Amino acid sequence: MMYVYKTMEEIANFIYFASKYLKEHQVEEFINLLVSTYNNKWSKVLVMGAGRSGLVARAFAMRLMHLGYNAYVLGDTIVPSVKKGDVVIAISGSGTTKLVVAAAETAKHVGAKLVALTSYPNSPLGQLADVIVEIPGRTKVSVSQDYFSRQILGIHEPLAPLGTLFEITTQAFLDSVVVELMHRLGKTEEDLKEAHANIEL
Amino acid sequence: MMYVYKTMEEIANFIYFASKYLKEHQVEEFINLLVSTYNNKWSKVLVMGAGRSGLVARAFAMRLMHLGYNAYVLGDTIVPSVKKGDVVIAISGSGTTKLVVAAAETAKHVGAKLVALTSYPNSPLGQLADVIVEIPGRTKVSVSQDYFSRQILGIHEPLAPLGTLFEITTQAFLDSVVVELMHRLGKTEEDLKEAHANIEL
Amino acid sequence: MMYVYKTMEEIANFIYFASKYLKEHQVEEFINLLVSTYNNKWSKVLVMGAGRSGLVARAFAMRLMHLGYNAYVLGDTIVPSVKKGDVVIAISGSGTTKLVVAAAETAKHVGAKLVALTSYPNSPLGQLADVIVEIPGRTKVSVSQDYFSRQILGIHEPLAPLGTLFEITTQAFLDSVVVELMHRLGKTEEDLKEAHANIEL
Amino acid sequence: MMYVYKTMEEIANFIYFASKYLKEHQVEEFINLLVSTYNNKWSKVLVMGAGRSGLVARAFAMRLMHLGYNAYVLGDTIVPSVKKGDVVIAISGSGTTKLVVAAAETAKHVGAKLVALTSYPNSPLGQLADVIVEIPGRTKVSVSQDYFSRQILGIHEPLAPLGTLFEITTQAFLDSVVVELMHRLGKTEEDLKEAHANIEL
């Protein structure tokens, strides 16, 4: 079972080094946008992504709701109309996922602020976005020759297939943004528990 | 923004130490069950969890499908009848989530093999299960006085609220199980890509 | 293709006669509850059902949102905490669906008002409910000897299998409740369109 | 409560007259495609729609699974790769829903057969489709001056708002297609029950 343990270590390392790799001004801009959105009680946040990135989006949307946001997920039954003043957060490693880009175009068209979490700031999604947070993922790392990839991956390809490293790193990043927001908004774990679903599947 | 970075480090550390904490015979039993299920082409795997644990379940089910399994998720539109010979995997940190325990009872009743991923092997879910994999989570760690918790958490409470550490650690573990299965089943990344949805949201 | 046309006629007939069969005091009580819930801006409505009944629940929840309700669906990513003063609407033809009954118990436990839409008022779900609306379905009709079933079905078994007639009749009923609510709440079609998702799948 | 009863009658009437309005060669072509798809055990059927049309799609996909099809829904967690030989069924009253049209383009691109259920055969979705079934809906009827609309609606606008009449009529039509398929494929209600989920929400 060496692959189980080696991959868990790889994931842990990747998340650790990713925390160094994040661009501070991007993270700051993203969190400031979320804080100002919270303070406008009419604003909504719609989070979206396809496939496993969509699940990362959903996990973040749940926590935003626990924090008191009007948070929604593309693909849920309940999705309100998005307007100027709302924030749409799109997650796509490649930044090219067709339906996500199509939805992002509509978001821009109706005047929402668009955030992209992606490995590729120059992708179609990245180019539409008002705020970008670059999150490293497998592809990016494996083709690059920089210090970051050598640190984590040495000369080997990563073990985790496809978008795994992007997805779990984005998950770790967003879970960490939640902690930052707790402090900035003065929310305790009790507050989150109070807002947590008590009937759920 | 110190909380963003500190929490990412906490998560990375937690996953790393959790890989040491996993009980090898439990992991082996789980993977052997998955390998033998793959070899029986009529067997199905139904994965389930509530809330954010349900999202972890979904992310794993997607990869099982990419590996060639007949994989399903409780809560999806398409859920087939579960029978003897099928495997049901339930994810619940506390092992007490009401609807998950109710569904697990039915799974046992119809003769499926039940796997529990939980921090509490003696919980209602754990007691129903045929195979258990113990995954550390926040609660467990914060009340324990053992080496593991001191290593990771020192004397402080973790930053990440509620079930976050259990959820992301379970995600990392299952993503690592996927890599193990790739090697045991002789699957390449190309095989996974071939099975990946090409129309998705 | 005679079965396509015959079944459409059967469904149309069933919905028509069901509108005569509904108990007026039950419908009145349900609508009054929804009107008073609307007028309390903090109240939430959580709708739920399993399988195809769950889809009927979702279709109704969307329209409640279009009408301006704080509406949610069990199984969506975003499900808030349910409290005293909230309304939970459960849809189950048989009134015995295990996970729906378990969720209904929790709803009662936390002090929410429980509405059951079911063919069986004496079922486990019916017995938990504060408000019941009896909706005819296949089983009920096929075993009964009353005027209603003879009118619709003659001496034959219905063509539509399993819960089909219950599900589509409940859908038609709830779509009709929406029209009643539009008039009682003074909402126009334009109001609904304004609240309708503009980015959706 | 006159609106509840009047709207149920309107819906019943609409479904009844719609059964006369359907174009027989379109229905025949759709059913023949489904029968031949069933007979090719490797073929998959992916059903899709946005909002309430998406729920109609899901209800049909469940029944296709009960009939023994490899049926999937866009938006579910488990969605396999779509290939030549597969069938994609898109439901959209207007035929213009952006994400559905984008997904339909991809379906055509990968060589799947595309079916459109729509009120507008000349819409973007209709123009992409290999097989079209025209289903009347509110808009279509309300602007037309033909016998059909006068029969059902007289000189009044329909009571049911937005896409309601299209959605429930499509639901009734697809539920009726299921009965036709039961007869053509030699399936009994017992067969459907056997394939029905036994753990579900």
Side-chain angles (χ1 to χ4, degrees):
Chain A
M1 287 185 305
M2 67 183 219
Y3 291 108
V4 173
Y5 301 112
K6 273 193 176 173
T7 311
M8 282 188 83
E9 282 187 35
E10 177 182 283
I11 289 170
N13 278 331
F14 199 93
I15 292 171
Y16 180 80
F17 283 104
S19 75
K20 313 299 177 203
Y21 170 91
L22 288 169
K23 297 186 174 153
E24 203 160 324
H25 67 281
Q26 293 181 342
V27 177
E28 185 72 43
E29 195 181 0
F30 177 44
I31 288 171
N32 287 343
L33 176 62
L34 288 171
V35 169
S36 67
T37 300
Y38 181 84
N39 291 329
N40 180 349
K41 64 178 281 206
W42 301 112
S43 289
K44 300 180 289 284
V45 182
L46 177 69
V47 192
M48 65 195 198
R52 286 167 50 109
S53 291
L55 299 172
V56 173
R58 287 169 187 269
F60 185 51
M62 281 189 195
R63 284 284 186 256
L64 288 178
M65 182 198 66
H66 298 158
L67 285 164
Y69 284 87
N70 302 312
Y72 300 93
V73 180
L74 184 60
D76 252 23
T77 301
I78 299 299
V79 181
S81 183
V82 171
K83 310 238 150 104
K84 197 167 150 52
D86 294 336
V87 173
V88 173
I89 302 172
I91 303 176
S92 169
S94 69
T96 61
T97 316
K98 187 172 180 176
L99 298 194
V100 172
V101 173
E105 283 168 0
T106 304
K108 290 292 296 179
H109 181 72
V110 299
K113 207 108 177 177
L114 179 66
V115 179
L117 305 185
T118 180
S119 300
Y120 293 95
N122 297 318
S123 62
L125 180 64
Q127 292 188 352
L128 284 169
D130 299 295
V131 175
I132 292 180
V133 182
E134 287 172 67
I135 313 273
R138 178 188 188 163
T139 320
K140 178 151 213 177
V141 169
S142 69
V143 298
S144 76
Q145 298 304 315
D146 63 14
Y147 175 74
F148 176 64
S149 62
R150 286 202 311 276
Q151 276 268 0
I152 302 177
L153 303 169
I155 53 167
H156 302 298
E157 280 295 297
L159 293 165
L162 305 172
T164 304
L165 291 175
F166 170 78
E167 292 144 12
I168 199 160
T169 302
T170 305
Q171 181 75 71
F173 167 64
L174 292 172
D175 280 346
S176 301
V177 166
V178 167
V179 176
E180 185 77 33
L181 289 172
M182 286 173 71
H183 284 85
R184 297 231 191 157
L185 305 176
K187 296 276 180 179
T188 66
E189 191 168 19
E190 272 312 304
D191 296 328
L192 273 69
K193 207 178 280 180
E194 182 74 16
H196 193 287
N198 50 9
I199 307 177
E200 67 166 353
L201 184 69
Chain B
M1 288 184 306
M2 67 182 218
Y3 291 108
V4 173
Y5 301 112
K6 273 193 175 172
T7 310
M8 283 188 83
E9 282 186 34
E10 178 182 283
I11 289 171
N13 277 332
F14 199 93
I15 292 171
Y16 179 79
F17 283 104
S19 76
K20 312 299 177 201
Y21 170 91
L22 288 169
K23 296 185 175 155
E24 200 160 325
H25 68 280
Q26 292 181 343
V27 177
E28 185 74 42
E29 197 181 359
F30 177 46
I31 288 170
N32 287 342
L33 177 61
L34 287 172
V35 169
S36 67
T37 301
Y38 181 84
N39 291 328
N40 180 348
K41 64 179 281 205
W42 300 113
S43 289
K44 298 180 290 284
V45 181
L46 177 69
V47 192
M48 64 195 198
R52 286 168 49 109
S53 290
L55 299 173
V56 173
R58 286 168 188 269
F60 186 51
M62 280 189 195
R63 283 284 186 256
L64 287 178
M65 182 198 67
H66 297 158
L67 285 164
Y69 284 87
N70 303 311
Y72 300 93
V73 180
L74 184 58
D76 252 22
T77 302
I78 298 299
V79 181
S81 183
V82 171
K83 311 238 149 105
K84 196 168 150 53
D86 293 336
V87 172
V88 173
I89 302 172
I91 303 177
S92 169
S94 68
T96 62
T97 317
K98 187 172 181 177
L99 297 194
V100 172
V101 173
E105 283 168 1
T106 304
K108 290 293 295 180
H109 181 71
V110 299
K113 208 109 176 177
L114 179 66
V115 179
L117 305 185
T118 180
S119 300
Y120 293 95
N122 298 318
S123 62
L125 179 64
Q127 292 187 353
L128 284 169
D130 300 294
V131 175
I132 292 179
V133 182
E134 287 172 66
I135 312 273
R138 179 189 187 161
T139 320
K140 179 152 213 175
V141 169
S142 68
V143 299
S144 77
Q145 298 303 316
D146 63 15
Y147 176 74
F148 177 64
S149 61
R150 286 202 309 277
Q151 276 269 358
I152 302 176
L153 304 169
I155 54 168
H156 301 299
E157 279 295 299
L159 294 165
L162 304 172
T164 304
L165 292 175
F166 171 77
E167 293 145 11
I168 199 160
T169 302
T170 304
Q171 180 76 71
F173 167 63
L174 291 173
D175 281 345
S176 302
V177 166
V178 168
V179 175
E180 185 76 33
L181 289 171
M182 284 174 72
H183 285 86
R184 297 232 190 155
L185 305 175
K187 296 275 180 180
T188 66
E189 191 168 19
E190 272 312 303
D191 296 328
L192 273 69
K193 207 178 280 181
E194 181 74 16
H196 193 287
N198 50 10
I199 307 177
E200 69 168 351
L201 185 67
Chain C
M1 288 184 306
M2 67 183 219
Y3 290 108
V4 173
Y5 300 112
K6 273 193 174 171
T7 310
M8 282 189 83
E9 282 186 34
E10 178 182 283
I11 288 170
N13 277 331
F14 199 94
I15 292 171
Y16 180 79
F17 283 104
S19 75
K20 312 300 177 200
Y21 170 91
L22 288 169
K23 296 184 174 154
E24 203 161 324
H25 68 280
Q26 292 182 343
V27 177
E28 185 74 42
E29 197 181 358
F30 177 45
I31 288 170
N32 287 342
L33 177 61
L34 288 172
V35 170
S36 67
T37 301
Y38 181 84
N39 292 327
N40 180 347
K41 64 179 280 206
W42 301 111
S43 289
K44 299 179 290 284
V45 182
L46 177 69
V47 192
M48 64 195 198
R52 286 170 48 110
S53 290
L55 299 174
V56 173
R58 286 168 188 269
F60 185 51
M62 281 189 195
R63 283 285 186 254
L64 288 178
M65 182 198 67
H66 297 159
L67 285 164
Y69 284 86
N70 302 312
Y72 301 94
V73 180
L74 184 59
D76 252 22
T77 302
I78 298 299
V79 182
S81 184
V82 171
K83 312 239 149 103
K84 197 168 150 52
D86 293 337
V87 173
V88 173
I89 302 173
I91 303 176
S92 168
S94 69
T96 62
T97 316
K98 188 173 180 175
L99 297 194
V100 172
V101 173
E105 283 168 2
T106 304
K108 290 294 296 180
H109 182 72
V110 298
K113 207 107 177 178
L114 179 66
V115 179
L117 304 185
T118 180
S119 300
Y120 293 95
N122 297 318
S123 62
L125 179 64
Q127 292 188 353
L128 284 169
D130 299 294
V131 176
I132 293 180
V133 182
E134 288 172 66
I135 312 272
R138 178 186 188 164
T139 320
K140 178 151 214 177
V141 170
S142 69
V143 300
S144 77
Q145 298 303 315
D146 62 16
Y147 175 74
F148 177 62
S149 61
R150 286 202 309 277
Q151 275 269 0
I152 301 176
L153 304 169
I155 54 168
H156 302 299
E157 280 294 299
L159 294 164
L162 305 172
T164 304
L165 292 175
F166 170 77
E167 293 144 13
I168 199 160
T169 302
T170 304
Q171 180 75 71
F173 168 64
L174 292 172
D175 280 346
S176 302
V177 166
V178 168
V179 175
E180 185 76 34
L181 289 171
M182 285 173 72
H183 284 86
R184 298 230 191 157
L185 305 176
K187 295 276 181 178
T188 65
E189 191 168 20
E190 272 311 304
D191 295 329
L192 273 70
K193 205 177 282 181
E194 181 74 16
H196 193 288
N198 49 10
I199 307 177
E200 69 167 351
L201 185 67
Chain D
M1 288 183 306
M2 65 184 219
Y3 291 108
V4 173
Y5 301 111
K6 272 193 176 173
T7 310
M8 282 188 83
E9 282 187 36
E10 177 181 284
I11 289 170
N13 277 332
F14 200 93
I15 292 171
Y16 179 80
F17 284 104
S19 76
K20 312 300 177 201
Y21 170 90
L22 289 169
K23 296 185 174 153
E24 203 160 325
H25 69 280
Q26 292 181 343
V27 177
E28 186 73 44
E29 195 180 0
F30 178 44
I31 288 171
N32 287 342
L33 176 62
L34 288 172
V35 170
S36 67
T37 301
Y38 181 83
N39 291 327
N40 180 348
K41 65 179 281 204
W42 300 114
S43 289
K44 300 180 290 284
V45 182
L46 177 69
V47 192
M48 64 195 199
R52 287 168 49 110
S53 290
L55 299 173
V56 173
R58 286 168 188 268
F60 185 51
M62 281 190 193
R63 284 285 186 254
L64 288 179
M65 182 198 67
H66 298 158
L67 285 164
Y69 284 86
N70 302 311
Y72 301 92
V73 180
L74 184 59
D76 253 22
T77 302
I78 299 298
V79 180
S81 183
V82 171
K83 311 239 149 103
K84 198 167 148 52
D86 294 336
V87 173
V88 173
I89 302 172
I91 303 176
S92 170
S94 68
T96 61
T97 317
K98 187 171 179 176
L99 298 194
V100 172
V101 172
E105 283 167 359
T106 304
K108 290 293 297 180
H109 181 72
V110 298
K113 207 106 176 178
L114 179 66
V115 180
L117 304 185
T118 180
S119 300
Y120 293 95
N122 297 319
S123 61
L125 180 64
Q127 292 187 352
L128 283 169
D130 299 295
V131 176
I132 292 179
V133 183
E134 287 172 66
I135 312 272
R138 179 189 188 161
T139 321
K140 178 152 211 175
V141 170
S142 69
V143 298
S144 77
Q145 298 303 316
D146 64 14
Y147 176 75
F148 176 64
S149 62
R150 286 202 310 276
Q151 275 270 357
I152 302 177
L153 304 169
I155 54 167
H156 303 298
E157 280 294 298
L159 294 164
L162 304 172
T164 304
L165 292 175
F166 171 77
E167 292 145 12
I168 199 160
T169 301
T170 304
Q171 181 76 71
F173 167 63
L174 292 172
D175 280 346
S176 301
V177 166
V178 167
V179 175
E180 185 77 34
L181 289 171
M182 285 174 72
H183 285 85
R184 297 230 191 157
L185 305 176
K187 296 276 181 178
T188 67
E189 190 167 19
E190 272 313 304
D191 296 328
L192 272 69
K193 207 177 281 180
E194 182 75 17
H196 194 288
N198 50 9
I199 307 176
E200 67 166 353
L201 185 69

